[in-house]
Amino acid sequence: MQHIWIVLGVLFVLLNIAAGLIWVERRLLAMWQDRLGPNRAGPLGIFIVLADTLKLFFKEDWIPPFADKWVFILAPAIVVGSVLMSFVIIPFAPGIVVADLNIGLLFFLAMSSLGVYSIVLGGWASNNKYALLGALRGASQMIAYEVFMGLSVMGVVMLSRSFNLIDIVAAQENVWFVVTQPVGFVIFFIAGIAETHRLPFDIPEAESELIAGFHAEYSGMKFGMFFIGEYMGITLISAMTVTMFFGGWLGPAFLPPVLWFFLKTFFFIGLFILLRASLPRPRYDQLIEYGWKILLPLVLVNLLVTGAIALWLKS
């Protein structure tokens, strides 16, 4: 019964965070850009979340007659499903984890890779050239940066000698891995931004070039599922960054472990939003060039140096 309560609790918190981030993002963007932001609907504009949710629910759920109907319907569900599945291996506190897998890190990488199918199928099934172009951009971007994301955490695996996320958190009891793996942390975070295709890496949905990109033909709750999937992706990458490099739930004893985990996670969510407020969008060719010409050599050097130091310390 305890396991069922953990599953329901994690699901409840995640879906509410995804909705609440609509308001948090608008307020933080307004603060950083020196404007008011939402301030009419309820205290501090908090009811804007309810207004947006109702708007999506009651918008006409239109399927274009030229679209591939069943694939068009399936694509938004894949992104939400893959992100939710990724959360099952994240330890929020001692004893609060849905599935304690020995290969938890590999499971996360596998589930996050499935998000590519959502973008490709959504763009292709729309039968719209702008949507298809956005889908192809998204696929190449996510596949490329998935490589760097996987390689960036291998240093952490070497030092903790485990793919289990609970073991990785326990290995950071004396020093967080951000101290011993700063290059891995930076590359993981950059790859996470590209994986969630958030600004400045929102190439698959660049409004000035592709209207709305891969979800140009979507409306109603199908568009809402892409929207929710994006916010849950931000939360997932922030939670994984905290788990892999910032000690997870570890912190001084004056706060409970689960609260330390959420405070650290919300710091990185705020960083995602700050990047959107401050950085310009690169060109598509620049994005791919950054990955293969800069990040790949860096992450390989980081692996070699980490392996050499680990062997030297062992001997």
Side-chain angles (χ1 to χ4, degrees):
M1 197 64 192
Q2 181 187 2
H3 201 70
I4 294 173
W5 281 115
I6 290 174
V7 172
L8 293 176
V10 169
L11 193 61
F12 176 79
V13 170
L14 287 179
L15 293 176
N16 278 282
I17 284 177
L21 282 181
I22 299 171
W23 176 79
V24 170
E25 180 165 37
R26 292 182 183 182
R27 291 297 298 188
L28 288 180
L29 286 175
M31 181 178 72
W32 282 318
Q33 294 173 346
D34 196 22
R35 54 188 176 83
L36 291 175
N39 63 346
R40 301 293 186 192
L44 298 175
I46 190 70
F47 290 158
I48 200 75
V49 177
L50 182 62
D52 274 348
T53 306
L54 290 173
K55 177 183 73 174
L56 288 173
F57 267 114
F58 288 103
K59 265 190 172 182
E60 182 182 3
D61 189 20
W62 185 69
I63 299 176
F66 45 78
D68 189 321
K69 182 179 178 182
W70 295 112
V71 180
F72 188 84
I73 293 170
L74 179 65
I78 293 175
V79 65
V80 176
S82 62
V83 174
L84 284 175
M85 286 295 290
S86 299
F87 273 103
V88 304
I89 46 85
I90 293 181
F92 300 96
I96 304 180
V97 60
V98 176
D100 182 14
L101 300 180
N102 288 332
I103 54 164
L105 183 55
L106 296 179
F107 184 83
F108 157 73
L109 293 173
M111 288 299 107
S112 61
S113 300
L114 291 179
V116 177
Y117 287 100
S118 170
I119 291 180
V120 172
L121 293 177
W124 175 78
S126 297
N127 203 6
N128 175 313
K129 62 181 179 181
Y130 293 109
L132 181 60
L133 187 57
L136 292 175
R137 283 183 173 193
S140 60
Q141 171 179 321
M142 292 176 77
I143 290 170
Y145 280 82
E146 190 77 33
V147 174
F148 317 132
M149 178 180 280
L151 290 173
S152 66
V153 295
M154 287 303 105
V156 170
V157 173
M158 286 182 193
L159 297 175
S160 63
R161 301 181 184 182
S162 178
F163 284 102
N164 185 301
L165 295 188
I166 293 178
D167 293 343
I168 290 172
V169 172
Q172 299 177 72
E173 194 167 1
N174 296 322
V175 59
W176 291 351
F177 283 142
V178 68
V179 176
T180 54
Q181 284 289 296
V183 176
F185 157 65
V186 170
I187 293 174
F188 181 85
F189 193 69
I190 292 172
I193 298 168
E195 282 287 298
T196 53
H197 41 86
R198 289 276 299 182
L199 268 163
F201 294 157
D202 66 333
I203 308 293
E205 47 190 90
E207 303 92 344
S208 56
E209 305 158 35
L210 303 176
I211 311 172
F214 64 93
H215 51 58
E217 297 291 348
Y218 282 88
S219 63
M221 272 312 294
K222 292 189 187 68
F223 171 77
M225 290 179 79
F226 278 121
F227 203 56
I228 291 168
E230 179 180 316
Y231 282 116
M232 286 202 299
I234 295 170
T235 310
L236 173 64
I237 296 300
S238 300
M240 280 300 296
T241 304
V242 168
T243 303
M244 300 297 295
F245 297 98
F246 285 83
W249 67 76
L250 298 174
F254 63 85
L255 287 178
V258 69
L259 195 54
W260 276 119
F261 185 89
F262 282 115
L263 284 174
K264 294 176 189 177
T265 302
F266 273 104
F267 171 79
F268 283 102
I269 291 172
L271 189 56
F272 265 96
I273 297 169
L274 176 58
L275 289 174
R276 178 179 178 179
S278 55
L279 292 181
R281 179 190 300 131
R283 293 197 317 265
Y284 174 68
D285 60 304
Q286 290 174 329
L287 175 74
I288 300 300
E289 190 175 332
Y290 295 154
W292 292 112
K293 291 187 177 179
I294 299 174
L295 295 188
L296 183 61
L298 273 177
V299 77
L300 291 176
V301 168
N302 181 59
L303 267 180
L304 289 171
V305 172
T306 303
I309 293 173
L311 285 172
W312 177 67
L313 290 173
K314 186 178 179 182
S315 62

